[in-house]
Amino acid sequence: MSAAGRMAAGLTIETQGLTKRFGRQLAVDNVDLAVPHGAVFGFLGPNGSGKTTTIRMLLGLAAASAGTVSVLGQPMPQRLQEVLPRVGALVEGPAFYPFLSGTANLRRFDAASRQGMPGTRNARVAAALERVGLSHAAGKRVHAYSLGMKQRLGIANALLSPRELLVLDEPTNGLDPQGTREVRSLVRSLAADGATVFVSSHLLAEVEQICTHAAIMSAGRLVAQGPLEELRRGGEMRIRLLTPDAGTACEVLLRLGMAPERGDAGAGISAAGISAAGRHGAVGHEAGTHRAGSAGPDGEVVTAGAAVAARPVDEAAGAGNPQQVLPKPDLPHPEDIVAELVAARVRVRGFSVERESLEERFVALTGEGFDVAQ
Amino acid sequence: MLAALAAIPVLIAVAVRLSSTVPPGRGPAFLDRITQNGLFVAVTAMLVAVPLFLPLTIGVVAGDTIAGEASLGTLRYLLVAPAGRVRLLLVKYAGALAFCLAAPITVALAGAAIGASLFPIGPVTLLSGDVVQPPEAALRLVLIAAYLAVSLAGLSAIGLFLSTLTVVPVGAMAATVVVSVASQIADQLPQLEWLHPWLFTHYWFGFADVLRQPVLWDSFASNAVLQAGYVAVFGALAYARFVTKDVLS
């Protein structure tokens, strides 16, 4: 976030140079988070990228090796006793006393806080259970709960009192589709009430649906952060062109600094090697084949991609992802591309601009494959 | 666990009742007196429970305090509630102390009850030779229980400290029991005589002094001072460890 933006909107969570070292391993490396007030903030990253460790430091469960944390405008963990009653949290999955009922568990956690007013406890526990749809199972022992029910109970625990900030670590883990939808609407309603919601997740579709802002962690470092729209724009742009004059079109596109690849009408695809968009070739192929098939035998598909404005949050992030440091600042506007094509007598039968999805952006920033980041 | 403790005097009383005679001088002290006076079931049971069974239950309770919450994962939710680390530690130790008191009292009560139902109750001859009536004798039983509760306070503090070191409650429990057994063994070795007054188990069997007339408070006082020292040292260690601990479970 820019300095101007930081001043305009108060920050609910701010970390500077936050670092956590476990022995020789750097779990969180120099993270500068800036979560604006009132945002629904998606905290993304592959497994093992340091999300939960960061959350633990935000909540004062673990001490930072270096750097500062401020939550709700107060330094943490120094002002923990004032800050945490205003924060609801679900950290690394729910945890309960299995031999106690859902109600008894919530009462116990509420009693642990000095701010939990005993007079209103029953009403607040009932309201929180109602809000997550667990009223019917309130008296059941937690060991009889399903994973999704425990998850709901964990969210209920975060909602025991009015909160200004909610930190939800993987809130939809283990939930069925209805539960996921409910959590989404719950997060929206919390945000509508003015709370800031900090959601960590690896489910990108979910984040795309509910978040206003996001940050992406990879191997302990923050590789991107900002409003969701800005993050998406930070990715590459692809155009898709349907034309019988593929050869000429490719020449024009190459001249414009793009990396075209040709997809043949029903048959195979002759992919042109591309630099910046190399990772996403496969995505383009599938879609291209599909479109071409429906376009008729005389059409040919050309897709072209380029990193329009790769905007890593800082130099360090760029250094870690070399393919992102290929900015082509003078890329033409889509309408200019069409104009150039037409000027070169290319018959344009179809033209579309596709932005990278958050998922593609995520993979581009964090790497692909099953290897957990070390 | 209290039920298990209550089972000790029941076991003793039933065994004595079913056997025809108890040869004097064999088995635990006071065993041969039970048939004449049921109150001795309680005394015998407490004596039998001191070396292992009581420390075992204390080890389970004190070892579970922090490590048990950590292994369930509820520790992080208590801390973000926020419970406050010092407050949580104090509450947990208070809970362990309550158990230290409840455990010997349970043995005493169960012993007196089963003794009264299976054997006659009568005046009790104390170690000093004086004879006291049953109400006075019951008071002495309560005194023994209090003596044992104080004796176990130090071990509880050790267990609390060990519990802050791990997220595996069984480890903390076992370590606590091992410490108590090791201390008793060290107390048996004449080569370590210089160490004996510093061992927290050293006065554990000194409760016989409250069975004298007048009551000898010396060992009670020395024991209390020693246990207070252990509580201070291991309480401080537990505090130092827990307030700086990264809760990662």
mmCIF file of all heavy atoms in Angstrom, chain A residues 53 139 169 172 180-181 239 247 300 325:
data_model
loop_
_atom_site.group_PDB
_atom_site.id
_atom_site.type_symbol
_atom_site.label_atom_id
_atom_site.label_comp_id
_atom_site.label_asym_id
_atom_site.label_seq_id
_atom_site.Cartn_x
_atom_site.Cartn_y
_atom_site.Cartn_z
ATOM 1 N N THR A 53 2.226 -18.748 11.376
ATOM 2 C CA THR A 53 3.243 -18.181 12.267
ATOM 3 C C THR A 53 3.063 -16.671 12.371
ATOM 4 O O THR A 53 3.158 -16.082 13.450
ATOM 5 C CB THR A 53 4.651 -18.519 11.749
ATOM 6 O OG1 THR A 53 4.739 -19.925 11.568
ATOM 7 C CG2 THR A 53 5.710 -18.080 12.725
ATOM 8 N N GLY A 139 -25.864 -28.541 23.191
ATOM 9 C CA GLY A 139 -25.695 -29.334 24.402
ATOM 10 C C GLY A 139 -24.910 -30.619 24.193
ATOM 11 O O GLY A 139 -24.610 -31.329 25.143
ATOM 12 N N ASP A 169 -8.255 -18.046 10.605
ATOM 13 C CA ASP A 169 -7.261 -18.865 9.921
ATOM 14 C C ASP A 169 -7.995 -20.045 9.296
ATOM 15 O O ASP A 169 -8.526 -20.885 10.014
ATOM 16 C CB ASP A 169 -6.226 -19.329 10.965
ATOM 17 C CG ASP A 169 -4.980 -19.898 10.329
ATOM 18 O OD1 ASP A 169 -4.898 -19.884 9.097
ATOM 19 O OD2 ASP A 169 -4.097 -20.351 11.078
ATOM 20 N N THR A 172 -13.020 -21.889 6.424
ATOM 21 C CA THR A 172 -13.952 -22.817 5.768
ATOM 22 C C THR A 172 -13.394 -24.233 5.692
ATOM 23 O O THR A 172 -13.982 -25.086 5.050
ATOM 24 C CB THR A 172 -14.281 -22.342 4.351
ATOM 25 O OG1 THR A 172 -13.057 -22.167 3.641
ATOM 26 C CG2 THR A 172 -15.026 -21.038 4.379
ATOM 27 N N THR A 180 -19.655 -23.289 3.717
ATOM 28 C CA THR A 180 -18.752 -22.323 3.103
ATOM 29 C C THR A 180 -19.506 -21.062 2.713
ATOM 30 O O THR A 180 -19.052 -19.947 2.954
ATOM 31 C CB THR A 180 -18.113 -22.953 1.853
ATOM 32 O OG1 THR A 180 -17.629 -24.247 2.207
ATOM 33 C CG2 THR A 180 -16.970 -22.122 1.356
ATOM 34 N N ARG A 181 -20.694 -21.274 2.124
ATOM 35 C CA ARG A 181 -21.507 -20.105 1.752
ATOM 36 C C ARG A 181 -21.881 -19.299 2.980
ATOM 37 O O ARG A 181 -21.830 -18.075 2.975
ATOM 38 C CB ARG A 181 -22.793 -20.569 1.053
ATOM 39 C CG ARG A 181 -22.601 -20.920 -0.386
ATOM 40 C CD ARG A 181 -23.880 -21.511 -0.929
ATOM 41 N NE ARG A 181 -24.953 -20.525 -0.961
ATOM 42 C CZ ARG A 181 -25.302 -19.873 -2.061
ATOM 43 N NH1 ARG A 181 -24.661 -20.097 -3.172
ATOM 44 N NH2 ARG A 181 -26.281 -18.997 -2.035
ATOM 45 N N ILE A 239 -4.436 -11.499 -24.689
ATOM 46 C CA ILE A 239 -5.504 -11.246 -25.646
ATOM 47 C C ILE A 239 -5.758 -12.530 -26.415
ATOM 48 O O ILE A 239 -4.879 -13.394 -26.538
ATOM 49 C CB ILE A 239 -5.147 -10.110 -26.633
ATOM 50 C CG1 ILE A 239 -3.908 -10.504 -27.439
ATOM 51 C CG2 ILE A 239 -4.927 -8.806 -25.914
ATOM 52 C CD1 ILE A 239 -3.915 -9.909 -28.797
ATOM 53 N N GLY A 247 -0.762 -16.004 -39.562
ATOM 54 C CA GLY A 247 0.649 -15.691 -39.766
ATOM 55 C C GLY A 247 0.924 -14.206 -39.666
ATOM 56 O O GLY A 247 1.800 -13.777 -38.905
ATOM 57 N N GLU A 300 -8.678 -19.352 -36.890
ATOM 58 C CA GLU A 300 -7.520 -19.840 -36.152
ATOM 59 C C GLU A 300 -7.327 -18.945 -34.937
ATOM 60 O O GLU A 300 -7.594 -17.751 -34.985
ATOM 61 C CB GLU A 300 -6.283 -19.795 -37.030
ATOM 62 C CG GLU A 300 -5.191 -20.676 -36.483
ATOM 63 C CD GLU A 300 -3.991 -20.729 -37.411
ATOM 64 O OE1 GLU A 300 -4.146 -20.381 -38.587
ATOM 65 O OE2 GLU A 300 -2.931 -21.101 -36.932
ATOM 66 N N VAL A 325 10.107 -9.966 -13.194
ATOM 67 C CA VAL A 325 10.842 -8.733 -13.436
ATOM 68 C C VAL A 325 11.071 -8.543 -14.934
ATOM 69 O O VAL A 325 12.172 -8.383 -15.405
ATOM 70 C CB VAL A 325 12.190 -8.737 -12.696
ATOM 71 C CG1 VAL A 325 12.574 -7.310 -12.360
ATOM 72 C CG2 VAL A 325 12.080 -9.528 -11.421
#
